[in-house]
Amino acid sequence: MTDMTEDEIRAEVREWLLENWDPDRGLVEWRNMLIDSGWGVPHWPEEWHGRGLPVGMTPVVEEEFDRLGAVGVAKMGIRTLAAATILEHGTDLHKQRFLRSILTGEETWCQLFSEPGSGSDLAGAVTRADFRDGKWVINGQKVWNTSAHHADFGLLLARTDWDAVKHQGLSYFLLDMRQPGVQVHQLRQMNGHASFNQVFFTDAVVEPEYRIGGLGEGWKVATTTLMHERRGADGVRRYATGSDRAGRIYEEERAEVATVMAPYIWYPQRTGRADLLIERAKAAGRWDDRAVRQEVAKALTLARTAEWTARRAREAQQLGLPQGPEGSIGKLAASIVARACAKAHTMIAGPDAMLTGEDDGTGGVVAEILVSTPAISIAGGTDEIQRNIISERILSMPKEARHDTDRPFRDVPRNQVG
């Protein structure tokens, strides 16, 4: 399939859609047909539901879907990180068990990385996984876990060796979130949403075959997950919305979006909403203010250059190049853009930026932007972490001095006793 031209691909997917697309099918039925055809994820290997096409041909396929209004496979949320991680590091058992249900949307996922006592120091995780009676037994706590309250499975990083150095004592697991040993509590955010959760494990169990990667290779696997997450944080993405078209499949898709994507409905606001700046400045009568125009121009310039940088990273992805530290550049740029936009929105709105609901002419959007933008500098790795990655892996600068990587982890001072 890899030697097909763009025109040949376009013609073949168009013919397949014309023969098979029916908006009155069930959503899962349709997605199973897509998976069997390979057109749902055409860049995946043929043996794992794809067609082995170059990543750069995926937009060609998506254009034909959009032309007809055809629904694609489930791609949004943590499930995309799960699929990418399983494809790269999983066994055949993992791929057989999980990839299809990820693509149909029948099973949802969450990411179980961050902990209360380690903050941005992901490698300092102290949630423990002990091998007892032929199974991994999990005890500990995770936090800031998007969608954990409705997830079926979690991507779990846990410590399996306390005598190894920090980064080498971690392992990566695929954990059943529906078992009795897992308790999930939603956290209310200052923007009024409750996307995040804290998760407690009390003798939760993972079967040995659901460890992904080798024993002690959790950091390596987690790095893959994080690189995909950071590449998705660059701002050049579409947030899933249900179509208003008629038909059973659209109705079921709208229901899916309303449930699965609910935790993400404020994500556009955390980017700073550069797209609203000119509109809001004119509506508020501030467009003639030179200082306001200067801040708007600055924010829009940053947003556009960040978009170009992100698109270069996407081009590399489409050429089939592996995930690399360039995702950290996009992640850091997104934070800088969000802060610039928040400053401009504040200048435009003035004291009215504190109004919400019916008192605010924007329906509370500006206030939500201002309380949501700090999140983009934290989620997926703080700005400080991204700067370290850029300086060390891209600019080849000396690493910062560390005093916790040359001794067994049990001897490393930390905020929380393991």
Side-chain angles (χ1 to χ4, degrees), residues 44-325:
W44 282 17
E46 291 185 52
E47 63 268 34
W48 298 115
H49 315 308
R51 288 193 164 231
L53 295 178
V55 177
M57 290 298 171
T58 299
V60 174
V61 176
E62 291 176 344
E63 286 174 11
E64 295 303 316
F65 275 71
D66 290 342
R67 191 190 310 277
L68 201 60
V71 174
V73 294
K75 292 182 180 179
M76 299 300 291
I78 306 299
R79 58 164 60 97
T80 60
L81 306 182
T85 305
I86 291 170
L87 273 173
E88 184 163 341
H89 296 283
T91 65
D92 285 356
L93 181 148
H94 300 146
K95 295 170 184 176
Q96 290 168 356
R97 168 62 185 85
F98 294 113
L99 290 181
R100 179 175 286 268
S101 61
I102 287 174
L103 295 176
T104 62
E106 292 175 279
E107 292 178 335
T108 57
W109 290 73
C110 66
Q111 187 175 333
L112 303 166
F113 282 13
S114 298
E115 296 188 3
S118 49
S120 295
D121 184 17
L122 179 58
V126 296
T127 292
R128 59 189 307 144
D130 300 304
F131 199 66
R132 302 180 199 158
D133 300 323
K135 298 180 181 180
W136 291 101
V137 180
I138 315 298
N139 286 278
Q141 180 184 359
K142 298 290 183 176
V143 73
W144 312 126
N145 315 113
T146 305
S147 298
H149 57 290
H150 63 67
D152 298 298
F153 293 93
L155 304 171
L156 171 69
L157 190 66
R159 189 159 300 278
T160 50
D161 189 346
W162 294 76
D163 293 313
V165 295
K166 189 173 184 177
H167 292 75
Q168 296 175 15
L170 298 164
S171 297
Y172 197 110
F173 301 91
L174 307 177
L175 178 133
D176 179 0
M177 293 290 292
R178 303 295 185 182
Q179 59 181 295
V182 178
Q183 288 187 317
V184 181
H185 301 278
Q186 287 186 264
L187 300 171
R188 181 67 59 180
Q189 300 148 218
M190 64 181 178
N191 61 10
H193 297 283
S195 303
F196 304 125
N197 303 267
Q198 56 183 341
V199 183
F200 298 91
F201 308 101
T202 305
D203 291 339
V205 173
V206 178
E207 298 293 338
E209 61 266 27
Y210 289 130
R211 188 188 73 220
I212 185 168
L215 186 63
E217 293 183 353
W219 183 254
K220 174 183 175 182
V221 182
T223 298
T224 295
T225 308
L226 291 172
M227 284 181 176
H228 282 274
E229 181 180 20
R230 288 162 185 166
R231 178 168 277 180
D234 55 25
V236 185
R237 63 185 299 178
R238 294 186 298 179
Y239 290 89
T241 55
S243 170
D244 59 359
R245 301 188 186 199
R248 175 185 172 187
I249 198 166
Y250 295 120
E251 292 174 3
E252 294 182 4
E253 184 193 32
R254 284 192 290 270
E256 176 186 70
V257 169
T259 302
V260 177
M261 297 310 299
Y264 304 93
I265 59 175
W266 61 277
Y267 274 35
Q269 273 63 272
R270 77 174 187 174
T271 67
R273 295 302 300 271
D275 59 306
L276 295 180
L277 286 172
I278 294 177
E279 170 193 324
R280 291 303 311 142
K282 291 180 178 178
R286 302 298 305 278
W287 188 242
D288 292 331
D289 186 318
R290 294 179 181 179
V292 168
R293 288 206 309 269
Q294 185 175 15
E295 291 302 321
V296 170
K298 184 188 299 182
L300 292 177
T301 300
L302 287 170
R304 183 56 59 89
T305 54
E307 180 181 332
W308 290 334
T309 299
R311 291 192 185 283
R312 283 198 294 272
R314 294 294 174 90
E315 289 293 328
Q317 183 184 28
Q318 291 175 1
L319 290 173
L321 300 178
Q323 297 280 345

Side-chain angles (χ1 to χ4, degrees), residues 349-371:
D352 288 349
M354 294 184 289
L355 299 176
T356 61
E358 295 180 358
D359 294 329
D360 172 29
T362 69
V365 171
V366 172
E368 187 167 288
I369 291 171
L370 298 183
V371 296

